[in-house]
Amino acid sequence: MTLSAVLVRELAAARPQLNARVAAARRARSGFDAEALADAVATRLDPLAQAVEAIAPDRTATVVDAGFALTVTLVDHALSIERRKLVDRVWREVAVPLARVVAERPEPVLAMLTNAALKLASTPGARVDEWMARMAELAPLVEAETLAAVGQVVAWRAGMAHYREGALAAADQLPEATALAAIGAHGSWAESRAALAADRWWTPEGKAAGTRFGGFTGFGGPFAVPPELRAGTAGVFVRAGERIGLLVADAWGATLHPASAAEFDAARPSAPAPRTHPGLPADDLRAVTTADTIAFASPRSHFVEVQPWTG
């Protein structure tokens, strides 16, 4: 792949330092993939260098230096092909729209975007594509000081249900227009915030119908066998064979977190479901309820259906 004149210029100007970084990485790990480094420089660093050059040419060299250093580190970690492609995408699709912010603080901003995308991609139930698209849309409203908070709020909206309390607190620290845009609301942040805090199933678009979580491990899901449910105070405990977790759900998704057998055994057991559910087999359908949530499971399905519940 041919590099842009901008990146060729910066690489040539900093060749001794950049070569020293690569040499150090080679010494540290015999399997360092120079071909992967060259591909990453062309695929992710070049578009970013051009974007920064267009708006802050005095910062291009600093961004290239920080971006190259992080790229060497990521190559040294020997990411899978899938994760390398994701990093390529987040730099092109999110860092480039945020070039103004990257130019101000290249190292922490690129590290934050990269780590966030990898975290979402590795969390069952989270939607990394949605997170990246929304972060790019919000780029005109984001500053270096607000990037982490915006990223957390958008991650919550993209399915990271366990971020709920932290995301609300982070949004409180944002300018009102930014908080409203990040959450997808209009009008008053105080009103939207009160509604979100009062009802985990409320969204600016209306009450959510619920969410579905799970799937068979053979098809990439989290459960090797149909899950059993028990009710907890912070969510729904799930046991599927040897896997035990706490399922945290709200209007924007559900995530599963490690839990112990003792926690599962101490929780309130499921009971026959008070109604059928179109997403699950009706035979032996079981359910558990919390203060605001009902979860359904069937011994013939690897999925859990979670919905609002008012008792």
Side-chain angles (χ1 to χ4, degrees):
M1 183 181 296
T2 302
L3 300 180
S4 69
V6 171
L7 187 58
V8 168
R9 181 194 73 209
E10 297 301 336
L11 294 178
R15 182 172 288 114
Q17 305 96 286
L18 304 183
N19 285 344
R21 283 200 177 98
V22 175
R26 286 179 179 275
R27 288 193 299 271
R29 190 167 67 83
S30 59
F32 185 83
D33 192 340
E35 184 176 338
L37 174 62
D39 181 69
V41 166
T43 303
R44 72 179 72 136
L45 186 55
D46 200 353
L48 182 59
Q50 294 180 67
V52 171
E53 177 77 6
I55 60 170
D58 60 317
R59 297 292 294 168
T60 305
T62 302
V63 170
V64 168
D65 182 69
F68 190 91
L70 180 55
T71 299
V72 170
T73 298
L74 291 168
V75 170
D76 194 36
H77 287 346
L79 299 179
S80 67
I81 292 176
E82 182 180 358
R83 287 165 73 82
R84 276 163 42 190
K85 289 181 177 179
L86 177 61
V87 176
D88 291 344
R89 286 187 55 212
V90 78
W91 283 39
R92 292 195 311 265
E93 298 174 25
V94 186
V96 166
L98 285 165
R100 173 179 52 83
V101 179
V102 175
E104 185 176 344
R105 299 181 186 175
E107 184 177 357
V109 169
L110 290 173
M112 191 228 103
L113 295 176
T114 300
N115 290 335
L118 292 172
K119 176 67 174 177
L120 265 80
S122 65
T123 303
R127 303 179 294 277
V128 67
D129 287 349
E130 180 180 324
W131 181 82
M132 288 195 292
R134 193 163 189 84
M135 290 296 292
E137 290 173 5
L138 292 169
L141 295 175
V142 176
E143 304 295 337
E145 296 79 8
T146 61
L147 176 63
V150 171
Q152 186 175 9
V153 174
V154 176
W156 173 33
R157 273 201 53 124
M160 300 286 270
H162 58 297
Y163 281 9
R164 177 181 179 79
E165 296 301 324
L168 284 171
D172 288 337
Q173 306 305 312
L174 294 171
E176 182 171 41
T178 306
L180 287 168
I183 212 70
H186 301 280
S188 161
W189 167 243
E191 293 177 0
S192 293
R193 202 245 194 253
L196 288 162
D199 184 355
R200 72 175 54 248
W201 298 103
W202 184 89
T203 77
E205 295 81 27
K207 188 95 165 182
T211 189
R212 190 182 216 209
F213 181 89
F216 177 49
T217 51
F219 299 128
F223 300 138
V225 299
E228 305 171 58
L229 306 179
R230 293 206 169 185
T233 56
V236 174
F237 287 104
V238 180
R239 180 170 64 191
E242 296 183 356
R243 182 166 194 178
I244 298 174
L246 178 68
L247 185 65
V248 179
D250 67 8
W252 283 312
T255 51
L256 187 66
H257 309 275
S260 68
E263 289 175 305
F264 183 88
D265 292 341
R268 179 162 45 86
S270 63
R275 59 179 184 266
T276 60
H277 192 283
L280 295 173
D283 294 347
D284 298 324
L285 191 65
R286 308 286 292 183
V288 295
T289 59
T290 66
D292 54 13
T293 299
I294 184 168
F296 299 89
S298 165
R300 294 168 179 77
S301 173
H302 291 83
F303 287 93
V304 178
E305 298 284 348
V306 192
Q307 296 179 351
W309 174 253
T310 57

